[in-house]
Amino acid sequence: MCYAIPGKIVELDTRSATIEYYGEKKKAYTDLVDVKEGDYVYAQGGFVISKVPEEEALNILKDWQELFFQLQETDRKLSNNPKTIYQRANAVRQKYQGNSCCVHGILEFSNHCSQNCFYCGIRSDNRNISRYRMSVDEILSNVEYAVNKLGFKALVLQSGEDYWYDEEKLTTMIKQIRDNFPSLIFLSIGERDEKTYKRLFEVGARGALIRFETSNRELYSRFKPGSSYDKRIDLIRNLRKIGYLIITGFLVGLPGQKSKEILTDIQLTAELDAEMFSFGPFIPHPQTPLHNTPLPELDTMLNAIAKSRLMSPSAKILVTTALETLDKEKGAREGLMAGANSLMINITPIKYRRLYEIYPNRAGTEDDTQTRIDAVLTLLYSLGRAPTDLGI
Ligand code: 5AD
């Protein structure tokens, strides 16, 4: 099972390689792996993440060739003749980003959280959920399974803001993953200090998922007590400066959010140089102060996706689990047809996944991971999308 096809390095300079895929050339940084011209490699998010033995690479490329061009053709057909704003956004996605669709795995390794965000079910004041922490070994064995058995090339390691995982534990974890299960690692661990993030970058993490949640300062300070808007935005900017690929975004439908503020949220996401936009509907959790808030409409979400695409033609835009939860039947498909081009698959063991209840009834909570992978691939193929990430 493959989410990315190997490419051949056809040119090397000091920091990056030109990689060819069926005649198409992409660039990727080479700081994580020692490579030479002629090597076959996997690249993710603009980084070479591992080498692939030539024979294995040629076999995969042979198997993929027909499907690769078929999918492109299907996508082209489905994206022409745009009329509505969704169709226009989809056509822009097709023109600037082609048919590739990121399919990252996400491992939720702890639901302990020192923060007390009003919108979130795992806030520290919620005494009604059981808390769990996966040990470093448990995390590693889940990563091994995801990379070696399921074929994931990019993983998000997510937790509440849980300082039990200190710099030491996180460093060991990332090093071990880089050495044994090569993949592109995104951290989603909240507001750690910059020094920790720097260290984790040095040992091989390359992505950081950290939402600013809302560009409305007043709502921010009301719903995120004890956290400073300016500090969070500064941290995101500084992580980008360190070299992290940034996944960031916001919540749609927080009480008091005006609909025109969604545009400001989109602008801020773009301005933070997000590699991937990640925004979703706010889904109230019964054990939080915001439990009475009405859900946003599916159309509001699709509109936000389409506007993000029109504003940032080359962005990766995620169909979030929250969007899939808002409309379990149509959310993912319609998101992908309104300009989105990324998905995540939850690889957390089901017994823990149930407890990572940031909001109730999360889509996919009870699905076996392989079943979910099959469903995602069926959806992507039906839309002419290739579950690949071909580099920068
Ligand atoms: N509904 C939707 N998204 C939520 N998050 C937290 N609580 C909720 C909720 N009730 C999102 C936040 C956070 C991410 C991990 O989950 O945006 O950054």
Side-chain angles (χ1 to χ4, degrees), residues 119-121 158 211 213 232 251 281-285 322 358-359:
Y119 44 82
C120 186
Q158 185 168 81
R211 289 183 175 175
E213 313 292 4
R232 193 162 175 103
L251 287 162
F282 167 55
I283 301 177
H285 187 292
I358 48 183
Y359 52 84

Side-chain angles (χ1 to χ4, degrees), residues 227-384:
S227 167
S228 140
Y229 175 84
D230 288 322
K231 261 179 78 182
R232 193 162 175 103
I233 297 287
D234 275 355
L235 176 64
I236 298 174
R237 289 192 205 284
N238 291 337
L239 293 179
R240 184 70 197 109
K241 281 191 201 134
I242 294 172
Y244 277 104
L245 301 170
I246 300 296
I247 304 182
T248 191
F250 50 90
L251 287 162
V252 175
L254 284 174
Q257 182 192 47
K258 301 199 182 63
S259 64
K260 66 172 197 281
E261 283 170 3
I262 298 174
L263 276 183
T264 323
D265 290 334
I266 295 172
Q267 266 162 349
L268 180 56
T269 313
E271 196 215 301
L272 291 169
D273 196 20
E275 156 82 4
M276 187 183 284
F277 284 47
S278 166
F279 55 84
F282 167 55
I283 301 177
H285 187 292
Q287 251 93 46
T288 60
L290 304 184
H291 62 95
N292 270 331
T293 315
L295 288 168
E297 300 285 333
L298 176 62
D299 264 335
T300 307
M301 298 311 306
L302 298 176
N303 229 286
I305 290 176
K307 293 205 168 113
S308 302
R309 174 59 63 202
L310 296 174
M311 213 182 276
S312 291
S314 302
K316 288 171 184 159
I317 301 174
L318 184 68
V319 165
T320 54
T321 308
L323 173 58
E324 293 186 62
T325 305
L326 184 68
D327 190 323
K328 291 200 163 106
E329 207 189 314
K330 303 195 297 287
R333 172 180 291 267
E334 297 200 354
L336 289 168
M337 291 307 282
N341 61 343
S342 301
L343 282 166
M344 288 191 191
I345 292 183
N346 201 321
I347 59 161
T348 313
I350 293 181
K351 65 175 174 181
Y352 294 137
R353 216 185 286 170
R354 289 181 183 133
L355 303 176
Y356 201 84
E357 207 192 45
I358 48 183
Y359 52 84
N361 301 315
R362 285 194 307 152
T365 301
E366 300 298 324
D367 297 348
D368 156 68
T369 307
Q370 187 62 58
T371 310
R372 168 96 174 113
I373 290 173
D374 295 344
V376 165
L377 292 183
T378 304
L379 171 65
L380 292 183
Y381 292 166
S382 76
L383 300 178

